Amino acid sequence: MASILLLLVLLMPALEITGAQSVGVCYGRNGDNLPAEGEVVDLYKSNGIGRMRMYEPNEATFQALRGSNIELTVTILNNELSALNDAAAATAWVQKNVQPFSADVRFKYIAVGNEVHPGTAEAGFLLPAIQNIHSAIVAANLQGQIKVSTAIDTTLVTNPYPPSDGIYTEAANPFITPIINFLVSNGAPLLVNVYPYFSYNDDPNNIDLGYALFTSQGVVVPDGTRYPSLFDALLDAQYSALEKAGAPNIEIVVSESGWPSEGGNQATAQNAATFYQNLISHVTSNTGTPKRPGRAIETYLFALFDENLKGPEPVEKHFGVFSPNKQPKYQLTFG
């Protein structure tokens, strides 16, 4: 018995940082006053943050993550997608940025592109880049550990009210459907950036602030479903669109969600604290959404730090849950 207790004590640090019970936090680096990578990983550890999303490969971060047990999502920038239409380039990317670290860094997702829109220069490059990165992951025999996907925003879906009417726009449908089919065939989730803050600000006269902050009694939508929050409504509109695209069983990972503390309408520290506290409570509670009840929602807060080089809108600089000096802006428990 003593040996079992000793083993449990030894395992406790790892158990505290497993992603299963934790929200993730997005580690953006668009600032000139941010801590060193090792300090950032220590901040994740000391706060029990079990998942990280980063926006481009960074060797110093990979090195600091070794042995941490933090689950990692690595994003490939949109301006790299055209080069990755060359299979050899995709193989080289994986050989440089994944394989040297895969033994003791817990890579979970490769997000190929972030918020690529139909009709843009990157749109035609996205699916071949996803396919080539996936093939390179398979060639490295890492497909059991790492899923390859992309991160979209909620604007690809139209008619989101009621959420059951959500459907991909005419422009988005031919762009996203082949990507969805690829994800389904490989058991990968779709990553979606979900921002009640921006949806609220698009229509503040008709959307209650409390509904966006998880503090209202909810809304009964025209099809009779009661939605407790705008977050759930936005997410279920995405699920409805996936169903109509022939993918009713694909999972969504909320790859970004956040609320700014200044720089825009209702961007206050109090509102941000309320949003983050309630979002964490909701997505870790196994409540789910009306369309997908009874499950936790894998979610990544945006972002770790305020980033003083982001823009062009002032509000973009103020989404951090920590200040660049590593002091918490809000009292949050991450898992």
Side-chain angles (χ1 to χ4, degrees), residues 30 307-317:
N30 204 349
E307 297 173 68
N308 64 355
L309 299 181
K310 283 187 71 72
E313 298 301 324
V315 74
E316 300 284 348
K317 304 177 190 292

Side-chain angles (χ1 to χ4, degrees), residues 189-213:
L190 177 64
L191 279 52
V192 184
N193 300 337
V194 179
Y195 282 96
Y197 174 77
F198 291 118
S199 297
Y200 164 78
N201 273 293
D202 284 344
D203 193 9
N205 293 327
N206 292 307
I207 298 176
D208 178 62
L209 178 63
Y211 186 53
L213 294 174

Side-chain angles (χ1 to χ4, degrees), residues 14-31:
L15 291 173
E16 288 172 1
I17 304 189
T18 52
Q21 297 84 27
S22 171
V23 294
V25 180
C26 298
Y27 171 33
R29 296 161 46 83
N30 204 349

Side-chain angles (χ1 to χ4, degrees), residues 113-137:
N114 186 61
E115 298 186 351
V116 176
H117 284 182
T120 61
E122 299 91 358
F125 300 126
L126 182 57
L127 180 57
I130 293 171
Q131 293 168 325
N132 286 342
I133 291 291
H134 172 76
S135 295
I137 291 293

Side-chain angles (χ1 to χ4, degrees), residues 299-314:
T299 300
Y300 294 76
L301 310 185
F302 186 90
L304 187 64
F305 297 118
D306 286 343
E307 297 173 68
N308 64 355
L309 299 181
K310 283 187 71 72
E313 298 301 324

Side-chain angles (χ1 to χ4, degrees), residues 115-316:
E115 298 186 351
V116 176
H117 284 182
T120 61
E122 299 91 358
F125 300 126
L126 182 57
L127 180 57
I130 293 171
Q131 293 168 325
N132 286 342
I133 291 291
H134 172 76
S135 295
I137 291 293
V138 172
N141 199 31
L142 293 170
Q143 69 274 17
Q145 173 187 347
I146 303 169
K147 297 298 184 183
V148 180
S149 186
T150 190
I152 65 170
D153 63 35
T154 53
T155 66
L156 299 191
V157 170
T158 190
N159 298 333
Y161 185 82
S164 57
D165 283 353
I167 189 170
Y168 288 114
T169 66
E170 288 187 12
N173 192 57
F175 160 70
I176 197 66
T177 298
I179 293 170
I180 292 167
N181 292 340
F182 181 83
L183 299 180
V184 170
S185 67
N186 289 286
L190 177 64
L191 279 52
V192 184
N193 300 337
V194 179
Y195 282 96
Y197 174 77
F198 291 118
S199 297
Y200 164 78
N201 273 293
D202 284 344
D203 193 9
N205 293 327
N206 292 307
I207 298 176
D208 178 62
L209 178 63
Y211 186 53
L213 294 174
F214 299 89
T215 60
S216 77
Q217 294 302 306
V219 171
V220 177
V221 301
D223 65 8
T225 305
R226 179 184 172 277
Y227 272 88
S229 68
L230 181 57
F231 176 87
D232 281 5
L234 291 168
L235 191 51
D236 273 1
Q238 299 293 314
Y239 274 120
S240 293
L242 286 167
E243 291 170 359
K244 295 179 180 72
N249 297 316
I250 193 171
E251 291 292 331
I252 290 175
V253 170
V254 177
S255 42
E256 293 179 12
S257 192
W259 197 284
S261 57
E262 60 181 282
N265 180 45
Q266 297 295 347
T268 68
Q270 181 176 348
N271 284 345
T274 298
F275 177 81
Y276 284 118
Q277 289 163 354
N278 290 336
L279 175 66
I280 293 169
S281 176
H282 177 56
V283 300
T284 60
S285 68
N286 293 325
T287 302
T289 69
K291 195 171 268 294
R292 295 288 188 276
R295 64 179 75 182
I297 303 166
E298 185 175 345
T299 300
Y300 294 76
L301 310 185
F302 186 90
L304 187 64
F305 297 118
D306 286 343
E307 297 173 68
N308 64 355
L309 299 181
K310 283 187 71 72
E313 298 301 324
V315 74
E316 300 284 348

